[in-house]
Structure formats: C-alpha cells, structure tokens
Amino acid sequence: MNILIAGGTGFVGQALTAYFAQKGYHMYILTRNAQKQEHHRYIHYVQWLTNEANPLEQLPYIDVVINLAGESINSGRWNETRKRTIVESRLQATYAIYDLITKMNKKPSVLIQASAIGIYGTSLNETFTGRCETIGTDFLAQTVKRWEEAGRRIESLGVRTVFMRFGIILGKGGGALPRIILPYKLFIGGTIGSGQQWLSWVHMDDVIGTIDFVIRHETISGPVNVTAPSPVTMEQFGKTIANILRRPHWLPVPSFALKMLLGEMSMLVLEGQRVIPKKLLQAGYDFSFPTVDQALANILQS
C-alpha cells in the first residue's frame, strides 16, 4: 500500500509513519525540505509547497492520503498573528492536497483528514457523539469548521473522506501530557480551574489504531470522534496522574492565573467537552486503552 501523508514529521505523523512502515507500507511524506531528510526503504520524502516542487512527478499511485498538516495550537499565545497562522496553515495544506488529487489520473481510495473535537465548542453538561451537534462559536471551533469545509472539496472529487476529530492525544514525548504532568513531578500538582471541566482524551496507540481501522472499513466516512469511550473530568485526570506518579494532588491552579498566563489559549485546559466515539464503537473498533487509568499507567510507568 502507498500512503501519502502531510504533517508526517509531527507528533502523530511520526508515530503513524513508523507504524505503517513497519507493516511494509510505503510512506510518502510531503515536506518543504525533502533534500534534508534521510530516506528509508519504506519512507520517502517528497518536496511540496515550494516554487520548484512538483510532487506528482515523484509519486506512484497513492492508495491513501492522510492530512495532519497545520501549525500547532499548543505553543505560543493566541494573538491575532498566531491565530491567522493556525488557520491559514491548515487551509493552505488542505487546498494544496486538493490540487494534487485533482491532477492524479487515478484518485486515492480515501482521505483521512485530521480534525478536532474543539469543533463542538465547550460544555459541562452536553455529550457530543458526532451526530448533528451544533458547532461552537469560539476561535478553535470556527478554525476546525473551516478546516473540515476545505476537506469537503476533496470529498466532491469522489474520494471517501473521513474527518478524524481528535481529542487530547496522550503519548510519550509530545502533545499536552508532558506539560500537564510537569507540576506533579515537581510536587506542586493540583486541580486546574474548577476541575469539573471534561477532558476527552485518547491514547496514541488508539489514534494509530483508529486510522488503520478507518482505512480498512470502507463504510466509514464523514466526521469520526477519536476519543476513548470514557472521558473524565480534569480533577479525575489529575488525581490519576498523582496516584500513578505517587505525587500529591494538592495545589489548585486558579482559572484567572491561567488566563493571565495563556490568554485565550487557556480554554484548552479550563474548558472542555464530553465526547463519545459513537461511530467507531458502532463499527466495532476495540480500544486498546479504554480507560484513563490504563492509558496513563502505560505511558508513565514504561
């Protein structure tokens, strides 16, 4: 199988590339700096988004396209310049993939596009299953809305398109978890904000597993919630970390302090949503890490 991936050098992209290459699939990584990358038997780097780039000339028939490209939302304060970069980086990559697919004589069987549960907005009381929910009005929700709309142009080409609405991804060496656990390692961990806000999370192994599952299950299309089936409150999450690391859970982090420190980006930890992966469960996906205790123990104790 030949898989084309944009955003292949990021946190999720690296894990996906290693997983599929180990299965003997050929991975074609779109990058602005292909000449600086070291090629592997199953990993090939393809120049794109530069004036001299012509990725189509470097590609065989592509079975699957995975779009993970976009500026990280987790680093840097959300000022107007950074907000514009977050939005435009996602749209630029998606439009470029659309243009590339339109030029392919034979279209890929499926596009897997990254998305986020942030599209739902935030709520303490509502549960989001991916069926007909309203879209939030905040910056993150509107960003994801525009990202998915750009992806639907590819769907119009007759390519099965799946929007993987990721929750908070837990894994080693990246994502939000290292920042969350740092206060506990320093013995100053505690409840963030009210502690009652929901955290809909997913283990990296299940991120990879669900993408593989969706590729193989041709009946799945449209939005898919990629979260474990057991969301928890931030207070529960913090207490679980403290228990596994054998550290105290005692020093509260007030909302106003985080808002002063992070600005609008503080919503990532102060607000949340309770999300259930209904489509994946109905299709028969079996989560490797269905509970936060199992997920955190696997990551923090190994």
Side-chain angles (χ1 to χ4, degrees):
M1 183 181 291
N2 296 326
I3 299 177
L4 181 67
I5 180 169
T9 57
F11 181 44
V12 175
Q14 289 184 60
L16 267 180
T17 298
Y19 171 80
F20 283 125
Q22 192 171 32
K23 290 173 73 81
Y25 298 168
H26 285 273
M27 304 296 294
Y28 293 85
I29 315 298
L30 294 170
T31 175
R32 296 175 189 266
N33 298 297
Q35 66 277 8
K36 295 183 179 180
Q37 305 291 342
E38 183 177 347
H39 293 254
H40 177 275
R41 179 181 178 185
Y42 295 111
I43 302 174
H44 320 275
Y45 293 91
V46 178
Q47 191 80 16
W48 84 320
L49 295 183
T50 59
N51 291 332
E52 69 276 11
N54 190 347
L56 201 60
E57 291 183 348
Q58 305 172 59
L59 295 174
Y61 165 65
I62 296 297
D63 299 282
V64 176
V65 177
I66 301 175
N67 179 19
L68 305 171
E71 184 76 12
S72 171
I73 64 171
N74 292 313
S75 58
R77 195 179 182 91
W78 285 358
N79 56 33
E80 291 307 309
T81 299
R82 180 150 186 81
K83 282 183 177 181
R84 189 162 53 251
T85 300
I86 287 170
V87 175
E88 291 179 354
S89 65
R90 283 159 173 74
L91 298 184
Q92 180 191 31
T94 306
Y95 292 151
I97 288 173
Y98 170 82
D99 290 339
L100 184 59
I101 292 177
T102 59
K103 296 172 185 174
M104 293 178 175
N105 293 327
K106 186 178 180 183
K107 306 294 188 251
S109 61
V110 60
L111 165 73
I112 306 292
Q113 167 138 332
S115 184
I117 61 173
I119 195 169
Y120 300 123
T122 61
S123 176
L124 288 175
N125 305 312
E126 197 169 351
T127 296
F128 302 98
T129 64
R131 293 181 61 86
C132 303
E133 281 95 2
T134 57
I135 292 173
T137 58
D138 58 74
F139 165 70
L140 187 54
Q142 290 299 303
T143 297
V144 179
K145 176 177 178 285
R146 292 183 64 186
W147 198 11
E148 289 194 4
E149 286 173 348
R152 291 195 188 282
R153 297 179 67 202
I154 299 169
E155 192 173 35
S156 71
L157 299 175
V159 177
R160 178 170 67 98
T161 302
V162 185
F163 301 101
M164 306 293 276
R165 292 177 175 173
F166 296 125
I168 300 299
I169 298 172
L170 306 182
K172 299 175 184 177
L177 187 60
R179 296 182 184 184
I180 295 174
I181 66 174
L182 180 59
Y184 291 93
K185 290 185 173 182
L186 298 175
F187 292 86
I188 55 172
T191 299
I192 296 175
S194 71
Q196 299 311 300
Q197 66 272 38
W198 287 100
L199 181 71
S200 296
W201 59 275
V202 61
H203 191 290
M204 177 64 85
D205 285 4
D206 282 313
V207 170
I208 296 169
T210 55
I211 291 175
D212 192 9
F213 183 85
V214 164
I215 289 171
R216 293 183 287 104
H217 285 72
E218 298 179 359
T219 59
I220 299 177
S221 63
V224 174
N225 290 339
V226 186
T227 59
S230 54
V232 295
T233 65
M234 280 297 291
E235 184 174 18
Q236 290 173 294
F237 190 71
K239 287 182 176 179
T240 303
I241 291 172
N243 182 56
I244 292 171
L245 294 180
R246 299 188 179 185
R247 297 290 195 273
H249 176 86
W250 66 281
L251 187 63
V253 182
S255 299
F256 77 86
L258 272 178
K259 289 178 180 177
M260 288 179 62
L261 179 65
L262 301 176
E264 191 177 353
M265 194 173 71
S266 63
M267 68 172 292
L268 294 174
V269 291
L270 292 177
E271 304 176 47
Q273 56 279 109
R274 187 175 189 272
V275 179
I276 301 297
K278 187 172 182 179
K279 189 176 287 188
L280 286 172
L281 294 173
Q282 289 180 335
Y285 180 74
D286 185 19
F287 280 83
S288 298
F289 297 95
T291 71
V292 76
D293 303 69
Q294 293 171 305
L296 289 174
N298 172 264
I299 296 166
L300 300 178
Q301 292 181 338
S302 59

